[in-house]
Amino acid sequence: NGMQQKKIWKLVFITILCLVVLLFVGLLYLRRAERKLLFSREELQKAKRLAEESVRNKSVFLSNMSHEIKTPLNALAGFSEILITPGIDDEVRAQCNDVIRLNSDLLLHLVNDVVDVSCLDVANMRFSVVPHEVVALCRNVVEMLRNIKQTSAEMIFETEMETDPCRLQQVLINLLVNATKFTKEGYITLTLRINEAGVPEFMVTDTGCGIPLENQEAVFSRFEKLNEGIQGTGLGLPICKLIINRMGGDIRVDSTYSKGARFIFTHPLKQEENR
């Protein structure tokens, strides 16, 4: 009897253990199935949201395009009509031709934008990156839109900074005149850009004889003349440094430039009060 009872208890224990294992495996399977179901529901909702957003974006895109295309088309129609008006002079005719050309370019750009959007992939968009004078570009764009705008608001392109224009002009003249003394051929370039810190930066670059590295700091010292054969008092660059420092900027010689000399000075957009 004792042996039979032990066997029975052993079988009961094994049976219970198997049931527990099966129950645990079943729970794991149900849990995994539940997670898959939840994931499928989330993916379905996500796809639904994307589809709804795509429909909204298409409607907005078509609405915007119809509005954008109206602007150059109205200008083309209006100024073409002026061209056939009897008695207009050559100046008005030339202005009309310019506006028609600008709006034709604008319309072409809009069509190209539609092509770019249809790519749906930035990697497929075509870019032609070249050095360009962006101040003139901005002026041209503002002037073009000023001629075709459909609003009474004034369109302005601002490149202003808080400065003393006479003093800034004095600095630029000093640097450019100084460059002419040491540059007999090649070029002298005045450049304005925004540096890595987001601060306006002026550069005067020449292809002259350059400044030895050991003398680049000394050029800003009073009465320091590195070349006694050149006419001048030696005060031009120290005065530039005083003015630039007073306006919150800094001036230096670019030691990495080796084809001549390059002076760089920064100028903050806003002047601190009581400076």
Side-chain angles (χ1 to χ4, degrees):
N1 291 333
M3 292 293 294
Q4 289 180 348
Q5 287 181 350
K6 285 183 180 180
K7 288 181 179 180
I8 291 171
W9 282 111
K10 189 173 182 180
L11 288 172
V12 170
F13 176 76
I14 292 173
T15 303
I16 293 173
L17 182 63
C18 290
L19 289 173
V20 169
V21 171
L22 289 173
L23 181 62
F24 180 74
V25 172
L27 288 174
L28 286 178
Y29 176 78
L30 290 175
R31 189 68 179 271
R32 182 176 297 175
E34 183 181 5
R35 283 200 299 266
K36 286 183 177 180
L37 181 61
L38 288 174
F39 179 76
S40 298
R41 287 178 179 173
E42 290 176 356
E43 288 296 312
L44 183 61
Q45 291 176 353
K46 183 178 179 181
K48 183 180 178 181
R49 287 195 300 269
L50 288 174
E52 292 174 349
E53 184 178 356
S54 176
V55 172
R56 285 195 302 270
N57 288 340
K58 186 181 295 184
S59 299
V60 172
F61 172 74
L62 291 174
S63 176
N64 289 339
M65 280 304 303
S66 62
H67 174 74
E68 292 293 330
I69 290 175
K70 283 180 182 178
T71 301
L73 285 178
N74 288 337
L76 287 171
F79 284 93
S80 297
E81 192 171 329
I82 294 175
L83 277 178
I84 61 175
T85 302
I88 63 171
D89 56 28
D90 291 339
E91 184 178 355
V92 174
R93 193 181 301 277
Q95 290 176 352
C96 290
N97 283 330
D98 290 341
V99 173
I100 289 172
R101 179 181 54 80
L102 290 172
N103 282 275
S104 299
D105 292 341
L106 179 58
L107 195 57
L108 180 60
H109 287 294
L110 288 173
V111 173
N112 288 333
D113 287 343
V114 175
V115 175
D116 289 337
V117 170
S118 65
C119 293
L120 297 177
D121 187 0
V122 176
N124 293 328
M125 295 178 66
R126 291 173 297 174
F127 292 84
S128 179
V129 180
V130 295
H132 197 78
E133 213 295 293
V134 294
V135 173
L137 183 146
C138 292
R139 287 200 180 107
N140 290 336
V141 169
V142 170
E143 186 63 29
M144 177 181 68
L145 270 298
R146 186 181 287 130
N147 289 327
I148 64 175
K149 67 180 182 178
Q150 296 178 324
T151 175
S152 59
E154 185 178 0
M155 194 169 297
I156 303 169
F157 169 52
E158 289 188 347
T159 56
E160 293 181 356
M161 62 173 64
E162 292 183 354
T163 188
D164 182 326
C166 294
R167 292 299 186 184
L168 179 58
Q169 178 176 283
Q170 181 180 0
V171 171
L172 294 174
I173 290 174
N174 273 337
L175 292 176
L176 290 168
V177 169
N178 188 69
T180 62
K181 296 176 181 178
F182 299 93
T183 308
K184 301 305 179 185
E185 58 183 6
Y187 60 83
I188 299 170
T189 306
L190 172 60
T191 306
L192 173 58
R193 68 179 186 182
I194 301 296
N195 63 16
E196 294 82 359
V199 179
E201 189 173 74
F202 292 82
M203 294 190 300
V204 174
T205 306
D206 64 53
T207 54
C209 58
I211 304 171
L213 188 62
E214 63 273 12
N215 295 332
Q216 290 182 359
E217 284 297 326
V219 296
F220 297 109
S221 300
R222 294 188 180 187
F223 306 110
E224 183 72 29
K225 291 184 63 175
L226 301 183
N227 192 333
E228 293 297 333
I230 300 296
Q231 184 179 2
T233 61
L235 285 174
L237 293 177
I239 289 174
C240 289
K241 185 174 180 63
L242 289 173
I243 293 173
I244 293 303
N245 290 342
R246 169 65 176 75
M247 291 194 293
D250 190 27
I251 186 169
R252 61 184 174 87
V253 180
D254 185 0
S255 58
T256 64
Y257 181 70
S258 58
K259 297 180 181 179
R262 173 179 288 154
F263 287 85
I264 302 175
F265 71 88
T266 56
H267 188 304
L269 286 172
K270 299 287 185 180
Q271 292 294 305
E272 296 180 11
E273 294 183 1
N274 302 322
R275 179 177 285 280

